[in-house]
Amino acid sequence: MKPVVGATPRVVKSDQEWREGLSPEEYAVLRQAATERPFTGEYTDTHDTGVYECRACGAELFRSETKFDSHCGWPSFFDPADSEAVLLREDRAMGMKRIEVLCASCHSHLGHVFEGEGYGTPTDQRYCINSIALRMVPQG
């Protein structure tokens, strides 16, 4: 994974420690920026109330109040739980320009953010996040 310029992760582990703490599928997405297949993730259609944490480090990333049905195949959120919960960086992989979303605490890959798609959310953004990168903690 490419380092994020100007940002230091609060959770730092060796590659071996990440491999030991994550399943092979989790490691591929979180540490190698892979993408899970659409419509296969645990949280794609979840509507429970709770907090979505980074599966790698436990940092709070999103809240259920900002989750919406985009029908894109991955969980979608219109805003992070905190303005500093995620980091954004340009991603030119796969022959296109996108904005990658990373956990600010451990710099794990979460997914991508898109703007101007017309979903009618308060931010006009869609944080398209891999379910396997998240852990939902129910509340209420």
Side-chain angles (χ1 to χ4, degrees):
M1 183 154 88
K2 297 181 290 185
V4 178
V5 178
T8 303
R10 292 185 288 278
V11 176
V12 178
K13 295 181 181 184
S14 69
D15 187 60
Q16 184 61 35
E17 289 173 311
W18 285 121
R19 286 181 186 276
E20 290 171 1
L22 300 169
S23 72
E25 296 82 11
E26 291 167 347
Y27 181 84
V29 170
L30 289 158
R31 305 310 301 169
Q32 297 179 312
T35 301
E36 65 189 351
R37 289 188 338 253
F39 302 103
T40 62
E42 178 179 6
Y43 302 119
T44 303
D45 297 316
T46 300
H47 295 94
D48 297 336
T49 301
V51 172
Y52 290 86
E53 298 177 340
C54 175
R55 194 174 293 246
C57 74
E60 182 178 331
L61 300 171
F62 299 95
R63 295 187 182 130
S64 58
E65 306 87 67
T66 66
K67 189 173 187 293
F68 69 100
D69 291 327
S70 67
H71 308 288
C72 70
W74 295 273
S76 296
F77 303 86
F78 61 80
D79 202 19
D82 178 305
S83 62
E84 296 181 8
V86 299
L87 298 172
L88 305 177
R89 77 170 168 204
E90 187 176 292
D91 176 7
R92 292 194 173 265
M94 301 179 68
M96 63 184 99
K97 181 181 172 185
R98 300 181 294 175
I99 303 298
E100 182 181 15
V101 181
L102 303 158
C103 171
S105 291
C106 69
H107 292 191
S108 288
H109 171 79
L110 304 172
H112 292 86
V113 63
F114 303 94
E115 290 187 82
E117 296 179 313
Y119 281 106
T121 61
T123 62
D124 197 27
Q125 294 179 317
R126 176 173 59 94
Y127 285 81
C128 183
I129 307 298
N130 290 285
S131 281
I132 201 165
L134 303 171
R135 179 173 293 110
M136 202 276 246
V137 179
Q139 294 182 331

